[in-house]
Amino acid sequence: MNNNTKIRIKEKKYHSIQQPDIQPQLSLVQRQKIRILLKPAPQIQSPDIIIKKYKQFYKITFTFSTTIIAQFTQVEGFPQHFYLPVCFQSLVDQRVPGFQIQGNNSIFEYQIQFQNAQKFNQLQLKTTLENQYGFFQIQYQLEPISLILRDIEQFQNKNQSPQRTTLIFDFPLFPHQQLGLDQARKFEKFAFLDSPGLGKSLPSLIFLLDFQKPILIIAPFIVHQNWVKTIKQLGIDFVEMSKKKTEINSFYALQKQQKYSLMDYSQIHKTNNFIQLFNNSALQKVILLLTFTEFQKIINDGLNLKLTSLLIDEFHEYKDITAKRTQLLVNFCNQITNVAILTATPALNNSTELYSILRILGLNVTMKAFQDRYAITENTKKYQKIIAHKNVKELSQILKIFSIRRSYDLLPIPAVKRVKFQIMIPKTNQLSTPSCPALLQLASTLPKLPFFLNFYKNFNHKSVVFFSSIQVADALQSICPKIDGRTSIQERKTLIRQFQDDEIQKIALSMECANLGFDLSNCGICFFLQLCWTAAGIVQAEGRIRRVSSKFRQILSVFVDGGSEVENQILNVIQKKGDLFEAIYGEEKIELSEVFGVESIETWIGQNMVKVDDM
DNA sequence: TTCCAGAACGACTCATTCGG
DNA sequence: CCGAATGAGTCGTTCTGGAA
């Protein structure tokens, strides 16, 4: 038996170790309904913080001497600890050194008393809370008392000895990135929901670095390279130890305190005493880059990661709260204090998709309560279908507290011109409407495909074609290179590089693959030969060419239209979904401005598509 | 509930490298 | 030189998302 064999056996042993799952036993109080009111309070004097447990309720008292009481009665749907950070934050903002909470289960009444009444008056406070947080439209439900205690404890700690040190990095942030970071820094858990291309990764990483803990990054494998790049950009010290396999695998755990080290799962295997390393508080400077499955493995191995902070990239992959992986993440996030969520498409289809974001951020309301409040459902024969949204303004206000979303208007990126490109198809070619959705996409495409292929063969401008069925991909292959689910990562990179370097003029991209991290800023025209089912998908796809680094002032987004019924159906679905986006974030809708024929496309391009450096 | 497509992964094969 | 270890590539499975 040689040395290597020994190591392998050791690792297997380590994997079989099952650590007991230690879950804190929370002492629960009954949920109760409260509503927020403001009224003047009598003057009280007492300097100490007292937390007393009675038979039926807890009484929590902070510093006294105040003139305002916020009373909470009759609330449904939200936990109290959800608004407590907000209260705390508003107090911190107003430089109020202390306040009081009095809670009483039996009479369903809570009180928060603010100290230092001279600095603001009742009206001011009410306006501030209303304007900033929509405080008085939001209704809350009480959480387990231990969570309230935890929040208060955190608040105490923060005020007495601020745990958070703000790190300064040389790398300059855009103003909007700085703004996002500033808002995030008021919270322990935060969601970065900016539009694609606005740069979410840097601020979110800095946000977590502040906490001085090991950082776990969960991201799809394909964007790992981007993260390595981001981390390098920050100028964080780490040492490259090996150049085997791929670039990703080339960073080994560096067991020195002064430097950050970037690791991935394969290195955990290679590090025998990883558990000891990770649990050692001295090892705070580790950034662990994982795919979700690797993360799952680590959790199953029983590795204690409770002292880490977590960053979840492309969070829309976890939006189904019933999915196993989402459940796992929610449970894990409840045990740790610092979480950052990143996604550019928080709500693709309906408002309930925002639920898992709020769960990760600490909301503990049931799915049913959330759905009742924010979605309109319709009972079909077999299942409950969500057909529309309601109370979106309120939901939007809640989201604006714990997350930040900005869209393109912040940046000097090219405007987008969306047009319809009409292809006339002989009527006999139209297929009957199939029942299966995937076939629906295909059926809408097949009749126009020969015409488009013929057109595109002679189209001599740099452009991208988006498709969604592999059959279409195979057809397009005869004209230009394509990237779909079957293309390997290496191949994708090569193609993208060649396209950016003008070696290839035309390229076909699958809508699904286009979601992740491609930068095609050297191109100004995209064709949608097929559509996906969501407005956000289209924006994402356009986002590949519509970037800050783009060489164009205006990009052309062409919807290839065969004029069939099916296509109109799909477009309707997309536009309906766009409404939700607009209602929550006030973003632009997908609307087609003009109908172009073959000649008018050429003319328009000739007149408008000018590269910036040609001007 | 159904179906299809894609992502990720494990199991497997095959070729190459390494240690004794 | 042989067998074990390692790496690359392929195939099938599982899970998820999306529509009706």
Side-chain angles (χ1 to χ4, degrees), chain A residues 11-23:
Chain A
E11 281 182 354
K12 273 176 194 164
K13 238 184 187 175
Y14 136 62
H15 279 295
S16 67
I17 296 171
Q18 286 290 324
Q19 289 195 349
D21 192 22
I22 308 152
Q23 289 231 345

Side-chain angles (χ1 to χ4, degrees), chain A residues 311 383 397 429 577:
Chain A
L311 192 154
Y383 61 100
Q397 278 166 331
N429 264 358
K577 285 176 183 174

Side-chain angles (χ1 to χ4, degrees), chain A residues 56-287:
Chain A
Q56 296 194 339
F57 60 89
Y58 288 82
K59 188 172 183 178
I60 309 149
T61 315
F62 266 66
T63 327
F64 292 159
S65 174
T66 149
T67 55
I68 294 171
I69 294 182
Q71 238 184 30
F72 306 92
T73 47
Q74 276 194 342
V75 171
E76 66 173 53
F78 285 87
Q80 190 181 25
H81 92 271
F82 215 60
Y83 68 69
L84 278 174
V86 181
C87 293
F88 291 173
Q89 201 52 55
S90 70
L91 295 172
V92 172
D93 285 348
Q94 310 222 12
R95 303 207 179 86
V96 180
F99 55 91
Q100 179 196 3
I101 299 175
Q102 291 183 341
N104 187 326
N105 271 356
S106 52
I107 59 167
F108 301 119
E109 187 176 288
Y110 270 69
Q111 297 181 344
I112 292 181
Q113 298 188 352
F114 302 94
Q115 200 195 29
N116 224 350
Q118 288 84 359
K119 290 201 174 174
F120 60 91
N121 62 42
Q122 190 179 339
L123 190 69
Q124 259 178 355
L125 177 72
K126 191 167 183 277
T127 327
T128 316
L129 291 178
E130 248 172 352
N131 288 351
Q132 285 189 0
Y133 307 118
F135 217 55
F136 298 89
Q137 290 86 44
I138 306 171
Q139 299 189 318
Y140 297 100
Q141 187 174 27
L142 264 187
E143 254 299 279
I145 193 80
S146 56
L147 288 177
I148 300 172
L149 293 177
R150 188 199 65 190
D151 284 337
I152 289 169
E153 214 172 337
Q154 277 175 9
F155 178 65
Q156 266 178 274
N157 290 341
K158 249 189 205 171
N159 260 13
Q160 285 165 3
S161 58
Q163 291 178 334
R164 192 177 306 194
T165 45
T166 306
L167 303 174
I168 310 288
F169 292 96
D170 287 341
F171 194 80
L173 292 173
F174 286 111
H176 69 273
Q177 285 177 317
Q178 188 62 50
L179 210 72
L181 183 58
D182 288 345
Q183 195 186 338
R185 276 179 167 154
K186 297 176 184 171
F187 297 95
E188 301 280 347
K189 301 179 179 179
F190 200 75
F192 296 81
L193 310 177
D194 286 343
S195 289
L198 281 184
K200 294 178 289 293
S201 37
L202 267 177
S204 59
L205 198 59
I206 297 176
F207 165 67
L208 287 183
L209 283 168
D210 279 356
F211 295 111
Q212 310 265 318
K213 295 179 194 167
I215 297 175
L216 281 182
I217 300 178
I218 302 179
F221 181 71
I222 195 156
V223 298
H224 278 198
Q225 286 271 316
N226 295 359
W227 277 105
V228 174
K229 236 187 256 171
T230 310
I231 292 163
K232 277 183 180 170
Q233 258 183 350
L234 269 180
I236 298 173
D237 287 333
F238 57 88
V239 172
E240 211 171 319
M241 302 274 289
S242 155
K243 283 201 168 171
K244 279 183 188 171
K245 207 179 165 184
T246 64
E247 204 189 328
I248 292 290
N249 285 350
S250 65
F251 304 99
Y252 267 71
L254 182 67
Q255 298 158 27
K256 284 181 189 168
Q257 292 178 30
Q258 288 78 18
K259 296 195 170 186
Y260 277 90
S261 45
L262 183 61
M263 307 171 74
D264 74 357
Y265 189 66
S266 61
Q267 272 115 48
I268 301 174
H269 279 287
K270 287 170 188 163
T271 317
N272 288 330
N273 51 352
F274 184 77
I275 295 183
Q276 288 85 343
L277 273 181
F278 219 87
N279 285 343
N280 181 356
S281 58
L283 189 85
Q284 289 182 345
K285 300 196 168 183
V286 171
I287 298 173

Side-chain angles (χ1 to χ4, degrees), chain A residues 331-366:
Chain A
N331 287 339
F332 184 71
C333 288
N334 279 339
Q335 294 168 24
I336 60 175
T337 31
N338 307 116
V339 181
I341 291 174
L342 272 75
T343 177
T345 48
L348 287 169
N349 300 312
N350 57 59
S351 50
T352 56
E353 294 183 359
L354 296 163
Y355 176 68
S356 60
I357 294 184
L358 295 181
R359 273 303 289 272
I360 296 278
L361 294 178
L363 174 87
N364 214 4
V365 69
T366 60

